Amino acid sequence: MQFYSQDKFLIEELSEYVGSALQAGDAAIVVATEQHRNNLLQWLSVRGLDIAGLVEQGRFQMMDAAQLLSTIMSDGRPNGDRFKEVVGGIVAKALRVCERQPSASGNLR
């Protein structure tokens, strides 16, 4: 979680964190609004990362925040079981990808 007053600060910090993880061979999962995802993709592309390749490998996953929230809601409240199923599945997939790559440090960020 990151608190910020300007989107630029958020995107710079996020791109540094996510970019470093991906360059180290780790996996990254980002849950954000469409605008933030698009801005992040631009920053990561500037760093020279092959976004399409990372997504194909399963090392980089991006999710829409509103869509994720609607998926885990039940009767107007977050449902813990749904959260574990949806988010847990995403995290488990990223961890499996890291474990299969001998050059990766095996971390998930």
Side-chain angles (χ1 to χ4, degrees):
M1 177 178 291
Q2 177 72 53
F3 294 100
Y4 60 96
S5 61
Q6 296 180 346
D7 282 356
K8 183 179 180 200
F9 172 79
L10 171 69
I11 299 304
E12 288 175 353
E13 292 293 311
L14 188 58
S15 68
E16 178 64 32
Y17 188 73
V18 170
S20 295
L22 295 171
Q23 287 174 329
D26 297 333
I29 300 167
V30 175
V31 178
T33 65
E34 181 178 7
Q35 179 181 353
H36 289 149
R37 291 191 319 270
N38 290 338
N39 290 341
L40 176 62
L41 288 173
Q42 288 177 340
W43 278 80
L44 292 175
S45 295
V46 168
R47 290 183 72 144
L49 291 167
D50 174 15
I51 301 301
L54 291 164
V55 169
E56 186 176 317
Q57 292 171 14
R59 289 188 38 231
F60 184 49
Q61 299 180 57
M62 295 182 77
M63 301 179 61
D64 181 75
Q67 184 178 357
L68 176 62
L69 185 59
S70 70
T71 301
I72 65 170
M73 297 296 282
S74 176
D75 296 323
R77 299 178 56 133
N79 180 299
D81 291 333
R82 284 187 186 168
F83 179 86
K84 288 176 190 174
E85 180 182 333
V86 173
V87 176
I90 294 164
V91 170
K93 178 182 173 184
L95 287 171
R96 282 191 304 272
V97 168
C98 286
E99 290 170 356
R100 288 194 309 256
Q101 296 185 13
S103 62
S105 63
N107 292 319
L108 173 65
R109 299 187 195 191

